């Protein structure tokens, strides 16, 4: 089962992960598993963009930190929404994190239970959805960062932040 929310100052994209159970069982390896899944999602999104003649997105460590922080907040506080308990959106969070140089910023959220092969499944699903296909293929985006967090019950929270200068 999974849930997604679409929000952006423009458009959004859903993200998922796969294969986290081994990482969960091995404590310290969880960070490696999460980073591997963030990277896999990033690659799959860029593959779809390349197939459509669009430039690949650049990885932004700053946007990834912002995304990881928000996924962690949702996992800890048990909510799933683009607006946090303080009424702040991705725009507010980016400003508070002193991320500048963007003229357009967007955020994608995804929540799911751990399941194998989700990155590929999710990207295929997005490409079949007119709205999500449009998000993936938005030519304005230049950079992205992806962040994954797990709650105490193993639910996965994923945030992707996009930015354009």
């Amino acid at each position: 089962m999974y849930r997604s929310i679409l929000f952006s100052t423009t458009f959004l994209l859903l993200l998922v992960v796969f294969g986290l159970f081994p990482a969960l069982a091995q404590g310290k390896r969880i960070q490696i598993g999460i980073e591997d899944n963030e990277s896999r999602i990033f690659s799959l999104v860029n593959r779809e963009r390349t197939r459509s003649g669009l430039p690949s997105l650049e990885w932004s460590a700053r946007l990834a930190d912002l995304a990881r922080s928000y996924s962690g907040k949702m996992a800890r506080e048990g909510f799933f929404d683009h607006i946090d308990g303080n009424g702040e959106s991705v725009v507010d969070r980016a400003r508070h994190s002193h991320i500048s140089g963007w003229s357009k910023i967007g955020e994608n959220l995804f929540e799911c239970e751990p399941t194998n092969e989700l990155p590929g499944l999710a990207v295929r699903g997005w490409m079949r959805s007119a709205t999500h296909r449009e998000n993936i293929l938005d030519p304005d985006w230049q950079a992205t960062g992806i962040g994954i967090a797990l709650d105490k019950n193993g639910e996965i929270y994923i945030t992707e932040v996009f930015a354009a200068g």
Side-chain angles (χ1 to χ4, degrees):
M1 179 175 171
Y2 65 87
R3 296 189 305 159
S4 63
I5 295 178
L6 198 59
F7 172 86
S8 171
T9 54
T10 57
F11 295 102
L12 305 175
L13 169 67
L14 305 175
L15 293 179
V16 294
V17 311
F18 73 101
L20 288 178
F21 279 129
L24 285 171
Q26 297 179 19
K28 205 165 190 182
R29 282 197 48 210
I30 189 168
Q31 192 61 34
I32 294 169
I34 286 173
E35 288 175 5
D36 287 346
N37 284 301
E38 291 168 352
S39 178
R40 179 78 175 128
I41 293 164
F42 175 69
S43 294
L44 290 173
V45 168
N46 273 332
R47 185 177 71 184
E48 292 300 335
R49 291 177 62 85
T50 300
R51 285 180 177 169
S52 294
L54 294 169
S56 293
L57 299 171
E58 293 180 25
W59 180 262
S60 167
R62 302 262 342 244
L63 295 178
D65 288 344
L66 183 65
R68 289 177 187 131
S69 175
Y70 195 60
S71 289
K73 181 178 180 77
M74 288 189 295
R76 280 188 314 278
E77 297 178 11
F79 74 96
F80 182 67
D81 201 324
H82 289 282
I83 306 300
D84 66 18
N86 298 321
E88 294 186 345
S89 70
V90 65
V91 171
D92 302 309
R93 291 188 295 274
R95 288 184 179 141
H96 292 313
S97 296
H98 306 289
I99 297 173
S100 60
W102 53 268
S103 61
K104 176 178 170 178
I105 194 162
E107 175 181 75
N108 311 322
L109 302 180
F110 197 86
E111 178 189 17
C112 64
E113 298 172 358
T115 305
N116 288 332
E117 302 178 24
L118 278 179
L121 179 65
V123 173
R124 284 190 306 274
W126 301 331
M127 295 305 289
R128 292 181 186 129
S129 161
T131 303
H132 297 107
R133 179 182 180 85
E134 188 175 344
N135 293 335
I136 290 171
L137 303 179
D138 185 331
D140 293 337
W141 298 132
Q142 297 167 331
T144 192
I146 299 162
I148 299 170
L150 305 171
D151 73 8
K152 62 184 176 189
N153 299 316
E155 282 290 304
I156 301 168
Y157 291 80
I158 304 149
T159 302
E160 181 171 19
V161 179
F162 296 96

